[in-house]
Amino acid sequence: METRIIGVETEYGVHTVHPTKRPLAPDEVARYMFKPVVAWGNSSNVFIPNGSRLYLDVGSHPEYATAETTRLEELLASDAAGDSIMHMLVTQAQQAMAQDGFDGDIYLYRNNADSLGNSYGSHENYMIERTTQYRRLTQALLPFLVTRQLIAGNGVVIKDPAALPLADQFPSRAEPHFAFSQRADYMHEAISSSSTRARPMINTRDEPHSDSTKYRRLHVIVGDSNMSETTQLLRFGATDLLLRLIESGKPLPNLQLAHPVRAIRQTSHDLTGNTPLDLADGRTMTALEIQEFYLAQAQDFLARQGPHHDYLDQIMDLWSRTLQAIARQDFSSIDTEIDWAIKHKFMTAYATKNNLDWDAARLVQLDMSYHDIHPQRGLFNLLEARGAAARVLTDAQVQAAHDNPPATTRALLRHRFIETARAMGMEYSMDWMHMKLNYYPMHTLYVRNPFETDISVVDELFAKVASASD
């Protein structure tokens, strides 16, 4: 695709601490958080003026889905705005809880697992053409996604390897250690139509949220919920580039993995990237070799096709430097840009200073704190504020995305519809393709084209409604 729609859905973990009383359960906290949302939109599942979706997911997880975007900087800004909006809801919830006699603190984590063994995700959505050979695409992409944690994992402290999900089937290193990915140990299948029960790496449910005769949505749910903007840039940018390479029809050697679920765990628990992974044809390759293969393919593709956006040089440079750092086992060249390396640097320094091993409870606490979205309390945010984590965006870009939609997709129409309906005091409902005035159901906008930016159709609809009312 010349221009691709990309979006990401982020599920947040909720935790409360109360000094004297029983802390509220996550579902109780979530209800406090979403009281203003329900008051504003008459539902806990709403679209907001920046074109994104805000809702409570299965298990009372607050979730934010970015608006449709075509530019990486818009995607990162819309996603960062989600953290800001969630923090605002937390602040309001704490005030409401205090009025009801609960003076505890709410912690909202942008991570992938809690202490009880529950996992929640960061789901990527990439538009592909309906004519794409879906089976070929997913088979070619899967080895890249299994090993992508080398360049886009969050890093995680593994205090008790035996307590990991399916540890009896896929045993990892016996001793406590630091691993690449939070999400890897919670994957149950490679490809499936279920996103909760089976928890696959690629979800095949066919919900394009667009013209189904032209497009399909590739739903990738294997990724970690990154904190670092530069890691996100590499994660989304490299995946989009691999999709372009596959879509071009270029033949790729078969790197199909014999056991993807085992391979993703083997990859996560080896920071050298050198554990041999079994391929379906009987060969073995290491995770590092697989990533180096895809990097070389991408470099060759760009040499022939040329860049398609301004961030490609930065993406390719960071991809290459990350693999070189792993090969050399010297992470100093990437420890401000890649989440797992940023976290590993801090954890290692703290453990050395305090004479701690990886099974120390304090390191597990700091691991959680890294993902706390509170601007003045979260460990990653504190590191970023002191220059220990690089940025892609400016504060102004994030603030603008808090209220404004991307300019190149139908999110622009959604923004216009919401703002106009609320200004006119009209009740409405919507999903990704429909915008409906509840008392004028015959005047419903159906926007199948996600690239539509002509807001005049929204203005015309409200003009018709106003004329009919007169």
Side-chain angles (χ1 to χ4, degrees), residues 358-376:
W358 287 117
D359 60 352
R362 180 57 179 154
L363 294 183
V364 176
Q365 292 172 344
L366 287 170
D367 192 338
M368 290 288 287
S369 179
Y370 184 90
H371 299 275
D372 183 350
I373 68 166
H374 195 293
Q376 286 81 44

Side-chain angles (χ1 to χ4, degrees), residues 39-41 49 417-426 428:
W40 180 85
F417 188 97
I418 292 171
E419 295 288 272
T420 306
R422 296 189 70 82
M424 296 177 67
M426 293 183 174
Y428 62 91

Side-chain angles (χ1 to χ4, degrees), residues 28 55 62 78 96 117 138 165 231 242-243 245 278 296 337 390:
E28 295 174 298
Y55 54 108
S78 182
T138 54
T231 305
L242 258 294
L243 286 173
L245 190 157
D278 294 330
E337 298 169 282

Side-chain angles (χ1 to χ4, degrees), residues 224-292:
D224 286 16
S225 298
N226 297 125
M227 299 296 293
S228 162
E229 293 172 358
T230 45
T231 305
Q232 284 188 306
L233 183 71
L234 177 54
R235 169 188 171 191
F236 300 128
T239 305
D240 171 58
L241 184 55
L242 258 294
L243 286 173
R244 290 175 183 275
L245 190 157
I246 296 167
E247 289 167 338
S248 73
K250 182 183 186 314
L252 289 174
N254 183 10
L255 301 186
Q256 184 176 352
L257 294 162
H259 308 288
V261 176
R262 177 182 297 153
I264 198 170
R265 287 165 167 80
Q266 291 174 308
T267 299
S268 180
H269 296 285
D270 176 19
L271 288 191
T272 72
N274 286 328
T275 297
L277 307 179
D278 294 330
L279 303 189
D281 61 9
R283 293 179 298 145
T284 63
M285 288 182 71
T286 68
L288 188 57
E289 288 171 339
I290 291 173
Q291 276 296 307
E292 288 171 340

Side-chain angles (χ1 to χ4, degrees), residues 124-426:
E124 302 154 59
N125 299 290
Y126 301 89
M127 174 177 283
I128 58 176
E129 292 184 345
R130 176 61 62 174
T131 54
T132 302
Q133 297 180 21
Y134 192 78
R135 182 177 177 81
R136 173 181 175 269
L137 182 145
T138 54
Q139 287 184 342
L141 194 62
L142 195 60
F144 168 75
L145 293 176
V146 166
T147 57
R148 188 182 63 172
Q149 56 188 292
L150 270 65
I151 62 173
N154 273 340
V156 62
V157 175
I158 305 295
K159 180 182 178 181
D160 182 6
L164 293 172
L166 305 181
D168 55 335
Q169 299 179 45
F170 306 106
S172 68
R173 293 165 54 185
E175 74 281 1
H177 58 279
F178 187 90
F180 277 123
S181 170
Q182 291 184 329
R183 185 71 165 161
D185 285 298
Y186 295 86
M187 294 290 100
H188 294 167
E189 293 187 31
I191 300 173
S192 170
S193 60
S194 172
S195 62
T196 54
R197 172 181 46 80
R199 201 174 288 143
M201 302 172 201
I202 297 176
N203 176 259
T204 59
R205 190 172 56 210
D206 193 359
E207 294 178 343
H209 297 316
S210 60
D211 187 341
S212 61
T213 65
K214 294 181 179 180
Y215 305 115
R216 182 164 183 167
R217 178 170 61 116
L218 176 67
H219 194 45
V220 176
I221 63 178
V222 70
D224 286 16
S225 298
N226 297 125
M227 299 296 293
S228 162
E229 293 172 358
T230 45
T231 305
Q232 284 188 306
L233 183 71
L234 177 54
R235 169 188 171 191
F236 300 128
T239 305
D240 171 58
L241 184 55
L242 258 294
L243 286 173
R244 290 175 183 275
L245 190 157
I246 296 167
E247 289 167 338
S248 73
K250 182 183 186 314
L252 289 174
N254 183 10
L255 301 186
Q256 184 176 352
L257 294 162
H259 308 288
V261 176
R262 177 182 297 153
I264 198 170
R265 287 165 167 80
Q266 291 174 308
T267 299
S268 180
H269 296 285
D270 176 19
L271 288 191
T272 72
N274 286 328
T275 297
L277 307 179
D278 294 330
L279 303 189
D281 61 9
R283 293 179 298 145
T284 63
M285 288 182 71
T286 68
L288 188 57
E289 288 171 339
I290 291 173
Q291 276 296 307
E292 288 171 340
F293 165 80
Y294 282 113
L295 172 63
Q297 293 291 317
Q299 290 169 332
D300 178 67
F301 178 75
L302 288 177
R304 291 183 290 106
Q305 300 289 333
H308 55 278
H309 61 71
D310 295 338
Y311 287 100
L312 272 174
D313 286 344
Q314 184 178 350
I315 289 167
M316 297 303 291
D317 173 66
L318 183 53
W319 192 354
S320 177
R321 282 192 291 113
T322 302
L323 299 185
Q324 291 172 12
I326 295 171
R328 294 193 307 263
Q329 287 295 283
D330 178 1
F331 310 143
S332 59
S333 63
I334 59 168
D335 62 14
T336 62
E337 298 169 282
I338 299 297
D339 263 314
W340 67 259
I342 299 169
K343 185 187 288 185
H344 184 269
K345 177 183 179 180
F346 179 87
M347 294 292 187
T348 302
Y350 188 92
T352 300
K353 180 180 178 180
N354 295 278
N355 195 29
L356 300 175
D357 295 323
W358 287 117
D359 60 352
R362 180 57 179 154
L363 294 183
V364 176
Q365 292 172 344
L366 287 170
D367 192 338
M368 290 288 287
S369 179
Y370 184 90
H371 299 275
D372 183 350
I373 68 166
H374 195 293
Q376 286 81 44
R377 185 181 62 202
L379 177 55
F380 175 82
N381 290 328
L382 295 174
L383 291 172
E384 186 180 77
R386 73 184 196 196
R391 296 199 65 181
V392 176
L393 305 171
T394 64
D395 289 341
Q397 285 175 296
V398 176
Q399 184 57 45
H402 192 285
D403 302 308
N404 300 294
T408 57
T409 70
R410 66 182 170 203
L412 199 63
L413 279 68
R414 198 175 298 125
H415 167 86
R416 184 75 160 198
F417 188 97
I418 292 171
E419 295 288 272
T420 306
R422 296 189 70 82
M424 296 177 67
M426 293 183 174

